[in-house]
Amino acid sequence: MSTTADLEKDPFYLRYYTGHQGMHGHEFLEFEYSHGRIRYANNSNYRNDSLIRKEMFVGPAVVEELKRIVRESEITKEDDVAWPKKNVVGKQELEVRIDKEHISFETAKIGSLADVNESSDAEGLRVFYYLVQDLKCFIFSLITLHFKIKPIQQ
Amino acid sequence: MADVDMAGEVNGAGHSWAAKSVEGWIIIVTGLNEETTEEDLQDLFGDYGEVKNLSMALNRRTGYVMGYALIEFPEKEQAEKAVKGTDGTTFLEKTIKTDFAFSKAPSGARSRAPASGARRTGRDREASPGRR
């Protein structure tokens, strides 16, 4: 078990972004972990919702679980070269630095598993798709409990 | 090793790094058996105080328990007792780990810095610097 001070030295990094430019402006959702801190930003202009920015510091147990989820997904073995390119509907980005591996993926928004199955790299895209869902679920649970706000699902 | 904070006091001397959430104290339990139910966790943690919130995630791919749950207690002392009483114990044939989920900001932390300050990748987004 590491201490909170160790988290400041740990190079583990994770960032996820999903968003698009549209009739409501730049609408996006983003979260980022680095050095013990999770930052979260959500901008939805629909019905005049405004930008929400939150940050929270987490303990070693949360970080270890975050790492476990990333490791068990084996996302760092994938490559985004054959994934759908970003388009007018928007894009997703996932950047992870873990265990001396560094990935920075970009792809289109994925509406459903049908989109995944149509890809020429369905297996890899499926890893990405489920990892993103599991990460969102974890981060949103933390935000909901810590701040008592409901993040907007995009 | 977190030996300083792991001494196990339940009077507030331990876990001095833990941070309170808006309505209570959140702990995280990991290493759960994949067939754990929320009722199982309610039974386990209800012994330490009123469980105000319990959130256990399912693996989106398998439908089984992801392995972690977040539990909220109103009082720090209850959360601390729950951590002390369950961390490293066997629950449903699995060794579980329990700890406080949230931490206070380290003293050197820049607070409310615009997100663009920490970017490692160059992107042309984030048009609202400094907004709360």
Side-chain angles (χ1 to χ4, degrees):
Chain A
M1 186 68 128
S2 55
T3 65
T4 47
D6 291 336
L7 297 180
E8 291 175 60
K9 298 177 205 135
D10 186 348
F12 173 57
Y13 177 82
L14 185 148
R15 182 180 61 81
Y16 173 74
Y17 163 91
T18 177
H20 66 276
Q21 298 278 354
M23 59 185 286
H24 297 295
H26 181 208
E27 295 185 283
F28 69 96
L29 178 154
E30 181 172 38
F31 53 80
E32 176 190 65
Y33 168 85
S34 82
H35 303 294
R37 165 166 43 192
I38 293 173
R39 286 169 159 158
Y40 163 82
N42 190 335
N43 192 41
S44 159
N45 295 321
Y46 176 68
R47 289 184 179 168
N48 297 321
D49 274 0
S50 57
L51 179 70
I52 297 168
R53 255 187 212 291
K54 295 281 179 193
E55 63 173 44
M56 53 196 179
F57 288 86
V58 291
V62 168
V63 180
E64 275 314 305
E65 187 65 5
L66 205 47
K67 286 182 183 172
R68 186 189 67 85
I69 292 169
V70 171
R71 283 190 189 115
E72 288 194 1
S73 76
E74 301 192 315
I75 188 71
T76 56
K77 292 182 182 170
E78 302 302 335
D79 192 318
D80 66 350
V81 66
W83 296 357
K85 300 295 175 227
K86 66 177 177 182
N87 54 41
V88 289
V89 180
K91 67 171 173 178
Q92 302 181 84
E93 297 171 350
L94 179 70
E95 184 177 355
V96 179
R97 192 183 296 272
I98 188 169
D99 305 330
K100 294 175 183 159
E101 307 264 12
H102 183 210
I103 55 158
S104 187
F105 293 161
E106 181 183 277
T107 187
K109 286 192 181 183
I110 300 170
S112 69
L113 264 180
D115 295 347
V116 171
N117 295 332
E118 284 167 15
S119 168
S120 58
D121 178 24
E123 207 167 306
L125 198 55
R126 195 174 293 118
V127 169
F128 174 85
Y129 176 80
Y130 282 112
L131 173 61
V132 165
Q133 289 202 38
D134 288 333
L135 289 174
K136 274 184 174 176
C137 178
F138 192 26
I139 302 292
F140 288 2
S141 298
L142 289 167
I143 291 166
T144 302
L145 281 171
H146 195 51
F147 298 109
K148 299 293 170 179
I149 60 163
K150 270 261 174 277
I152 302 154
Q153 278 281 5
Q154 298 209 346
Chain B
M1 297 296 287
D3 45 0
V4 179
D5 280 339
M6 296 299 282
E9 292 91 342
V10 291
N11 55 11
H15 300 108
S16 58
W17 56 270
K20 187 178 188 290
S21 298
V22 170
E23 291 176 5
W25 296 83
I26 318 294
I27 63 171
I28 179 169
V29 53
T30 58
L32 292 170
N33 185 306
E34 63 179 16
E35 293 183 10
T36 307
T37 65
E38 291 200 353
E39 288 72 25
D40 294 331
L41 294 176
Q42 184 72 49
D43 287 348
L44 177 67
F45 289 101
D47 284 348
Y48 301 96
E50 179 203 353
V51 174
K52 279 177 69 183
N53 264 297
L54 198 159
S55 164
M56 185 181 70
L58 300 181
N59 184 316
R60 298 307 165 101
R61 190 164 197 159
T62 65
Y64 284 112
V65 165
M66 196 72 198
Y68 70 87
L70 298 164
I71 296 125
E72 179 178 347
F73 289 103
E75 304 298 332
K76 184 177 186 185
E77 192 183 352
Q78 298 165 332
E80 217 154 26
K81 281 181 177 165
V83 168
K84 193 189 174 202
T86 61
D87 184 38
T89 62
T90 300
F91 181 61
L92 305 177
E93 299 169 358
K94 292 277 191 179
T95 302
I96 56 169
K97 296 187 91 173
T98 315
D99 201 357
F100 280 88
F102 295 102
S103 159
K104 292 173 186 164
S107 49
R110 300 150 297 152
S111 71
R112 294 281 170 206
S116 53
R119 295 291 161 201
R120 295 182 185 197
T121 54
R123 285 171 306 143
D124 54 357
R125 310 185 300 94
E126 300 293 338
S128 307
R131 196 163 158 190
R132 36 167 265 108

